[in-house]
Amino acid sequence: MNAETTALEIHVLGVNGIGLESGNGSITAGRDIPWLQDVAAEDVWTQWQVTYRDVVIVGPQSTKVGVYNLTLHDLADPTNYAELRQLLLDAANAP
């Protein structure tokens, strides 16, 4: 996606659910994706009704504009990969 020209930049990061903090070290080891830990004061997972392995597509005002679950849509399947990629591009080009 780095080669694509979009109205907005696309950033990918992970957000871990409250109570799952013990896995933070292993999930981030050897990776460079930004990783955030949800906290009770924000409780994003509950507010956005996140399910495990959801990709939540967020618009410019931090509003949820879409969800793509990686358990249901394995990115090893080229069709699923292309579908998620297009969702991200569409969100980055939305008015």
Side-chain angles (χ1 to χ4, degrees):
M1 286 189 294
N2 290 337
E4 297 285 338
T5 301
T6 56
L8 300 171
E9 291 184 36
I10 297 173
H11 298 275
V12 177
L13 56 94
V15 180
N16 194 31
I18 297 169
L20 304 173
E21 298 84 354
S22 64
N24 283 340
S26 61
I27 197 69
T28 58
R31 294 180 173 86
D32 60 3
I33 185 173
W35 188 254
L36 305 175
Q37 177 59 56
D38 199 4
V39 294
E42 299 298 327
D43 200 8
V44 174
W45 272 41
T46 299
Q47 289 182 50
W48 287 353
Q49 300 176 331
V50 172
T51 301
Y52 179 68
R53 298 194 75 211
D54 275 351
V55 173
V56 179
I57 302 167
V58 179
Q61 302 301 319
S62 298
T63 56
K64 182 172 90 171
V65 297
V67 177
Y68 197 82
N69 185 275
L70 299 180
T71 299
L72 300 175
H73 304 95
D74 185 349
L75 294 183
D77 179 331
T79 301
N80 293 338
Y81 181 89
E83 186 175 43
L84 176 57
R85 183 179 186 280
Q86 192 60 54
L87 289 170
L88 294 171
L89 292 171
D90 290 348
N93 285 313

